[in-house]
Amino acid sequence: MKVVLFCGGYGMRMRDGRSDVPKPMTTVGPRPLIWHVMHYYAHFGHKDFVLCLGYGAHYIKDYFLNYSETASNDFTLAGGKVELLGSDIQDWNITFVHTGLDSSIGERLRRVRPHVEHEEMFLANYADVLTDLPLNDMIDTFKASEAVASLVAVPPQTAFHCVEVDDSDHLTGIKTLQEMPVWLNGGYFVLRPEVFDYVPENGDLVADACTALAAEGRMLAYRHRGFWHPADTVKERTALEASYRAGKSPWMVWETTPQRDPLQAVIAGLGAAEH
């Protein structure tokens, strides 16, 4: 299944005033955010990527054109030659598409339409959020439905308290946001090509397409209470880096969970159908 990654925005909230590197190229450990997101998808067997480029496109292009496997893989150096003991992106297919400097997310999606419009369904992502979301479950739920789009819904991450106040200004209750019936768009999407009918020129994927589909009852939300962490700000990226250095990287599912064998999944499905 193809994966569309939106990685062309300016990422102003991530800027530290010292670097013009685009947000998806800021690092967590030895690799940039976009690599972590792509490795997550590759773990589930989705290795055909379409990158929606814009600001800082040359950083992303140069990174993959001059990719160093030794940065995150063990290797043997013998006689001056490197023998890799593992590989990251050898079987990845990456299409680089410049989708404009100031394009909205919806417009970026429209501009890569020729690369995905003949697919039964495809995946999309903001390329700046890490998670341990069980992606196969989300896809299977969507596939069994007649929805046009699905997004992962996550609880609010802020620690602020919400207060309930009556008409006489008495405080009647205090809850954290996580305890409230509120869910956020987690930035991971499963889409059918019909979504293009709902994205106007220079429109937005969520505000335009998802809102219209929700009104028609053709939009799903997959609720996830596990690990989910954005990297919109320097503070959030620093927290991810600290977690990585502490050996706590729950988003790196390729190191903690086995990859599902597609053949075994089919066999399991046939077995379930018999019962």
Side-chain angles (χ1 to χ4, degrees):
M1 193 178 300
K2 291 192 174 185
V3 183
V4 175
L5 296 180
F6 305 115
C7 46
Y10 288 100
M12 296 302 294
R13 286 176 293 183
M14 177 66 85
R15 309 289 272 283
D16 57 10
R18 298 189 300 271
S19 173
D20 61 349
V21 172
K23 180 167 57 175
M25 289 303 296
T26 56
T27 58
V28 176
R31 296 295 193 189
L33 277 167
I34 192 171
W35 178 90
H36 287 271
V37 172
M38 294 169 77
H39 209 311
Y40 166 86
Y41 281 108
H43 168 74
F44 291 101
H46 309 294
K47 304 177 182 180
D48 195 345
F49 301 97
V50 180
L51 306 189
C52 300
L53 304 177
Y55 171 78
H58 64 284
Y59 284 104
I60 298 174
K61 291 178 180 178
D62 290 346
Y63 177 76
F64 287 106
L65 287 172
N66 302 290
Y67 189 80
S68 173
E69 289 277 15
T70 57
S72 54
N73 287 292
D74 295 336
F75 62 93
T76 299
L77 182 64
K81 295 183 178 181
V82 173
E83 180 182 346
L84 287 169
L85 302 180
S87 176
D88 293 327
I89 72 170
Q90 195 172 52
D91 57 348
W92 293 5
N93 183 68
I94 309 174
T95 301
F96 300 81
V97 183
H98 201 292
T99 55
L101 286 176
D102 300 304
S103 300
S104 63
I105 293 295
E107 183 59 26
R108 293 192 191 283
L109 182 61
R110 280 167 46 87
R111 295 186 184 188
V112 299
R113 181 173 183 168
H115 300 281
V116 296
E117 64 181 342
H118 300 300
E119 303 293 312
E120 177 187 0
M121 61 186 67
F122 61 96
L123 307 168
N125 190 284
Y126 293 146
D128 61 2
V129 178
L130 303 180
T131 184
D132 63 356
L133 166 75
L135 184 62
N136 284 330
D137 291 346
M138 181 180 179
I139 292 172
D140 290 344
T141 300
F142 178 73
K143 188 180 296 186
S145 76
E146 296 183 357
V148 174
S150 177
L151 59 77
V152 63
V154 298
Q157 303 299 299
T158 179
F160 291 126
H161 287 88
C162 296
V163 297
E164 299 173 0
V165 184
D166 64 19
D167 293 338
S168 61
D169 294 334
H170 285 85
L171 195 152
T172 60
I174 301 176
K175 294 181 179 179
T176 64
L177 265 178
Q178 289 86 349
E179 295 175 306
M180 301 289 287
V182 177
W183 295 86
L184 303 180
N185 167 22
Y188 283 67
F189 299 87
V190 188
L191 307 168
R192 287 191 167 93
E194 191 179 345
V195 72
F196 289 107
D197 297 336
Y198 293 81
V199 184
E201 184 176 357
N202 296 316
D204 187 71
L205 173 59
V206 174
D208 292 311
C210 293
T211 300
L213 287 166
E216 295 180 7
R218 307 183 73 193
M219 180 83 208
L220 292 184
Y222 184 93
R223 285 181 281 194
H224 178 59
R225 290 190 176 276
F227 179 84
W228 180 90
H229 199 292
D232 277 339
T233 66
V234 173
K235 180 180 179 180
E236 289 169 343
R237 193 213 65 84
T238 301
L240 285 170
E241 178 68 21
S243 181
Y244 177 87
R245 292 186 179 279
K248 300 176 182 178
S249 307
W251 68 87
M252 298 177 71
V253 292
W254 54 92
E255 293 187 352
T256 58
T257 57
Q259 186 170 355
R260 184 169 75 169
D261 184 336
L263 178 58
Q264 291 301 316
V266 171
I267 293 174
L270 292 174
E274 293 176 357
H275 292 84

